[in-house]
Amino acid sequence: MQTAETKRNILVGLFIFFGLVIFIVGIFTLGGQQKSFVKSLRINAVFNDIGGLKPGNNVWFSGVKIGTVKTIKFYGRSQVEVNMSIEQSAQQYIRKDASAKLSSDGLIGNKIIVLFGGNPKMPEIEDGDILQVQKELSTDDIMKTFQQNNENLIGITTNFKKLSTDIVKGKGTAGALLADSSLAMSFRAIVNNLQKTTRTSAKLAGQLGVFTAKLNTKGGLADKVMTDTTVFNKLQATANQLQKTAGNASAITENLTKASNKLNSTDNAMGLLLNDAKTANQVKTTMGNLEQSSQKLNDDLEAVQHNFLLRGFFKKKEKAEAAAATTPKATTNE
C-alpha cells in the first residue's frame, strides 16, 4: 500500500514539475515574441481607417520587427488612434518627423504598421510622440480603380469594334482605301509620284554637289573671284565704271529732258519759233522779203552787166575765166 502511494506521489510530482517547466517556457516564449521583457517606449499614430488592424499585430521598420500594436481606440469623430510599443534599441533610428503606414504581411496576410525613419538631422522620438500617417490605398480604392479601368477598357474595345466594322463596310477614309480599288490605285499612284520626286530630288542634290565642287575648283572663275584680290579689284573697278557710266547717262538724259522742256517753252528763240505762231509767221514773212530782195538784187546786177559803161569789164572777165578753164584741160591731154 505504501509503495503504491509513494509511486503515485512521485508521478504527480513529476507531472506537476513538467507542467511548471512547460508553463514557464511558454511564458518566456510568448513574452519573447511579444517583446514583453524588452525595454520599450510607447508612440501613437492616428489613422482614418485601420483596415482590420488588431492589437498584437507587428510594427516593422526597414524590414525588421521592432514592436507590436498595444491598443486601438477611437479618436475624435471618425479617426482611430493606434498605440504602439517600440523597442528602445530602435529609438535612435526613428526621428520626430517619422511617419507610419498601414501595410499587409504578405499578399493576404495580417495587417501591420510600417515605420519610416524620417530626416536624420531631426531629434529622436520620445515616449508618447504622435507620428505622421501616410495615406494608403484601401482595398475598396483599389477595386474602384480596377472597376474604372475595366470600364475604360470596355469603352476602348467598343470603339475599336465600331471602327473595325466601319472599315470593313468601307466607311471613312481608311475603309474607302481598303474597299475602293480605284481610290487605292490613286493612292498607289501618289506614292509612286512621291518616290519619283524623291529620286529626282536626290539626283538634283547630286548635281548641285558636283556644281559646287566645280565652283570650288582651284583656278576657276569662282575661286578667283573669292580668293584672288586682283580679280576682285578689277571687277570692283568695272562695277565703278559702270556706275559712273550710268550716272553720265542719267545726266545726259536729264539735259535732254531740260532741252526738250526748253523747246516746249517760249522763253527762248528756238522755243519761240517752234511754239509761237505769230513769231513763226513773222520769220516766214521776213524770209519771203529776203527772197524778193535777193531776186531784185540779181536783176539789178544783171542790168549793171548790160550797162555800156561796165560791159567791157565783164567781157574781159569772162574771157579770162574761159582761158583759165581751158588751160588745165590742155595740160591733162598732153
Side-chain angles (χ1 to χ4, degrees):
M1 290 286 297
Q2 292 181 351
T3 304
E5 188 176 352
T6 302
K7 289 181 179 180
R8 189 188 310 167
N9 293 331
I10 293 172
L11 290 173
V12 172
L14 290 173
F15 180 77
I16 293 172
F17 174 76
F18 283 114
L20 289 173
V21 171
I22 293 172
F23 179 71
I24 293 170
V25 171
I27 289 175
F28 277 101
T29 301
L30 293 175
Q33 291 179 355
Q34 297 295 327
K35 306 292 184 180
S36 300
F37 306 104
V38 178
K39 291 183 179 181
S40 61
L41 66 153
R42 297 293 185 93
I43 57 176
N44 302 313
V46 179
F47 294 89
N48 293 326
D49 186 354
I50 59 175
L53 184 71
K54 297 178 181 180
N57 290 147
N58 297 324
V59 180
W60 294 76
F61 174 74
S62 297
V64 179
K65 179 184 174 183
I66 61 171
T68 57
V69 175
K70 288 300 180 183
T71 61
I72 297 174
K73 63 181 180 179
F74 287 106
Y75 180 87
R77 293 186 177 181
S78 60
Q79 293 179 312
V80 179
E81 183 182 31
V82 178
N83 180 264
M84 296 167 281
S85 177
I86 305 298
E87 295 179 12
Q88 195 171 13
S89 60
Q91 181 181 9
Q92 58 181 324
Y93 304 108
I94 304 174
R95 305 295 170 173
K96 289 281 188 180
D97 62 341
S99 59
K101 180 181 179 181
L102 281 174
S103 184
S104 298
D105 188 6
L107 184 60
I108 56 174
N110 295 327
K111 287 290 183 179
I112 61 173
I113 294 179
V114 179
L115 301 183
F116 299 89
N119 191 347
K121 296 181 180 180
M122 297 293 290
E124 300 174 359
I125 58 170
E126 297 177 355
D127 191 73
D129 284 348
I130 299 177
L131 301 181
Q132 302 176 10
V133 174
Q134 294 186 11
K135 180 174 176 57
E136 180 189 17
L137 287 176
S138 63
T139 305
D140 293 337
D141 294 334
I142 296 174
M143 293 304 295
K144 288 180 181 178
T145 303
F146 283 155
Q147 183 66 26
Q148 186 175 4
N149 291 336
N150 289 335
E151 292 176 357
N152 293 335
L153 183 61
I154 291 172
I156 293 172
T157 53
T158 303
N159 293 334
F160 184 76
K161 180 180 178 181
K162 182 179 179 182
L163 178 62
S164 61
T165 303
D166 292 340
I167 291 175
V168 171
K169 291 181 179 179
K171 296 180 179 179
T173 304
L177 287 174
L178 294 176
D180 192 348
S181 59
S182 61
L183 187 59
M185 293 296 293
S186 300
F187 184 75
R188 185 178 300 174
I190 292 172
V191 173
N192 292 331
N193 291 332
L194 288 175
Q195 292 177 349
K196 291 180 181 179
T197 303
T198 304
R199 288 194 294 268
T200 304
S201 299
K203 185 177 180 181
L204 179 61
Q207 292 175 351
L208 286 175
V210 174
F211 178 71
T212 54
K214 289 182 178 179
L215 288 178
N216 294 327
T217 302
K218 191 171 182 63
L221 177 61
D223 180 68
K224 288 182 178 180
V225 171
M226 294 180 181
T227 58
D228 194 343
T229 57
T230 303
V231 175
F232 178 77
N233 291 332
K234 290 181 180 179
L235 289 175
Q236 189 174 12
T238 303
N240 292 333
Q241 291 178 356
L242 289 174
Q243 188 174 4
K244 290 180 181 179
T245 303
N248 294 333
S250 177
I252 293 171
T253 303
E254 185 178 359
N255 293 332
L256 289 175
T257 303
K258 290 180 180 180
S260 62
N261 291 333
K262 287 287 186 180
L263 292 176
N264 292 326
S265 63
T266 59
D267 59 350
N268 56 84
M270 187 63 68
L272 187 63
L273 290 175
L274 293 176
N275 298 298
D276 192 351
K278 183 178 179 181
T279 303
N281 292 328
Q282 291 177 354
V283 172
K284 188 182 296 183
T285 303
T286 302
M287 294 299 294
N289 294 331
L290 288 174
E291 185 178 0
Q292 292 177 2
S293 299
S294 61
Q295 184 65 34
K296 290 180 178 180
L297 181 61
N298 289 332
D299 294 338
D300 293 337
L301 291 174
E302 184 70 22
V304 169
Q305 289 180 3
H306 292 84
N307 192 308
F308 70 96
L309 296 176
L310 299 175
R311 188 179 302 169
F313 171 76
F314 285 108
K315 287 183 178 181
K316 290 181 180 179
K317 185 177 179 181
E318 288 178 359
K319 290 180 179 180
E321 290 177 355
T326 55
T327 301
K329 291 181 180 180
T331 305
T332 304
N333 291 330
E334 291 178 0

